[in-house]
Amino acid sequence: MATLATPLSEKRQEAPAVRAFRATPFTYGTLLIVAAILTTPLVFVGSIALSSDATVNAGSYTVIPREFHWDNFSRVFGTELPVGTFLLNSVLISLFSVVGQVLSSGLVGYAFARLRAPGKGTMFLVVIATMMIPTQITMIPQFILFRDLGWVNTFLPLIVPNFFSNAFNVFLVRQFVSRLPSELDEAAMMDGLGFFGIYRRIMFPMLRPVLIAIGIFTLTHTWGDFMGPLIYLNDESKMPLALGVQYITATSQAGQAPPWNLVMVGSILLAVPMIIVYYLGQKYLYEMDISGGSAGVK
């Protein structure tokens, strides 16, 4: 009696099912302990920011706030330093830097992914290799270049380089575009669109999660950048808040403790905008899938 051959598909061993992770009370307890450890410095900063001048002079700080001097948040703008100008300078530098990185990273990454040119692969490897160059090595040559251009003590050294992108952001965009179907470009070319038209009308909307993530990364870097303004800016009226907070510690007289409550208020002004930005933009950070490029075609 003839026996029927077993199909090959039936012989294959089924992949083990992925079991869903179920949290236990121990899991929640561990997370609460870790969260408490990580948030303690932030609570301590808030406690110092709400302290009185007498508490600052005595140095009797506590982690849990015992005083609530909310007027410190208005007093910081009444010091001899232009804290309001510091804040405005940070906003201007950060916004222009974000615009420059988003525009340049999208165009350069799209060009590496779609355009055909001799030596494109080698050029991309050179761009990626620049990520291994320490910033300290290029610091002095960049300063000499910007000094010869007459850009020292202006915002230009802090803004203009962002309009030429950087290797990491180019890599993000290039990997994302490479995973998108090339049939989209071919169909657009049949309709008469060129490369720039394809990018503006088709690719740019699909790149929204990646570009927003690049904008968040750039905003975080420029908003808290201390070394760049320290090197290129000399006038107090041009300093951003990250550098201006350090100057608040030098406003006290000799022998007196710095106004740490006002310094911590400045630190909160630095931290809160970034917390809000990450909270509002976390959806786009999760959608940024550079491995499959699926975020743009959802």
Side-chain angles (χ1 to χ4, degrees):
M1 183 175 180
T3 57
L4 297 177
T6 303
L8 181 61
S9 59
E10 294 181 2
K11 295 182 179 180
R12 294 177 179 175
Q13 186 178 3
E14 294 182 358
V18 179
R19 300 180 61 182
F21 175 78
R22 294 183 179 181
T24 62
F26 176 77
T27 304
Y28 287 111
T30 304
L31 292 176
L32 287 175
I33 294 174
V34 173
I37 294 174
L38 295 178
T39 56
T40 297
L42 297 178
V43 176
F44 192 39
V45 169
S47 177
I48 298 176
L50 296 174
S51 300
S52 63
D53 293 340
T55 301
V56 171
N57 293 329
S60 56
Y61 306 117
T62 58
V63 176
I64 304 300
R66 294 182 302 178
E67 302 172 309
F68 297 91
H69 293 270
W70 298 102
D71 58 310
N72 290 340
F73 287 86
S74 58
R75 285 178 54 205
V76 72
F77 293 97
T79 61
E80 60 184 14
L81 294 173
V83 178
T85 303
F86 294 161
L87 187 60
L88 179 61
N89 293 339
S90 294
V91 172
L92 292 177
I93 295 173
S94 300
L95 289 182
F96 280 108
S97 299
V98 168
V99 171
Q101 280 289 345
V102 169
L103 292 178
S104 59
S105 299
L107 289 172
V108 176
Y110 170 71
F112 273 120
R114 286 292 196 260
L115 271 63
R116 296 186 179 92
K120 183 185 71 172
T122 303
M123 187 179 300
F124 181 71
L125 292 177
V126 172
V127 172
I128 296 301
T130 60
M131 297 174 60
M132 296 183 290
I133 301 177
T135 306
Q136 293 79 3
I137 294 179
T138 60
M139 188 178 298
I140 295 177
Q142 282 184 348
F143 178 81
I144 296 174
L145 174 63
F146 293 140
R147 184 197 60 186
D148 295 341
L149 292 174
W151 289 4
V152 175
N153 203 28
T154 67
F155 292 159
L156 295 178
L158 306 176
I159 295 176
V160 172
N162 289 289
F163 281 83
F164 295 90
S165 187
N166 62 51
F168 179 72
N169 294 338
V170 170
F171 173 78
L172 287 181
V173 177
R174 190 257 186 188
Q175 293 300 105
F176 191 95
V177 176
S178 297
R179 299 296 180 175
L180 296 177
S182 58
E183 288 79 5
L184 295 173
D185 301 57
E186 297 172 359
M189 289 180 180
M190 293 179 63
D191 290 337
L193 290 179
F195 285 109
F196 184 76
I198 295 173
Y199 173 79
R200 182 172 61 88
R201 296 189 179 185
I202 299 177
M203 292 298 169
F204 188 80
M206 291 185 174
L207 285 171
R208 185 176 65 172
V210 177
L211 296 180
I212 291 179
I214 289 174
I216 293 175
F217 298 151
T218 305
L219 182 64
T220 303
H221 172 73
T222 56
W223 183 264
D225 185 20
F226 177 82
M227 185 61 65
L230 180 65
I231 295 174
Y232 296 109
L233 299 179
N234 300 321
D235 297 341
E236 288 185 357
S237 60
K238 298 179 181 178
M239 294 179 180
L241 185 60
L243 182 59
V245 168
Q246 190 273 339
Y247 275 75
I248 298 178
T249 62
T251 58
S252 60
Q253 298 178 358
Q256 291 184 349
W260 293 116
N261 50 356
L262 300 184
V263 173
M264 294 305 165
V265 168
S267 300
I268 292 176
L269 293 178
L270 275 173
V272 169
M274 294 300 98
I275 295 175
I276 295 174
V277 167
Y278 269 95
Y279 177 77
L280 297 178
Q282 60 181 336
K283 177 181 70 174
Y284 299 101
L285 293 176
Y286 296 150
E287 287 182 358
M288 186 187 64
D289 183 6
I290 63 174
S291 62
S294 59
V297 293
K298 288 181 179 179

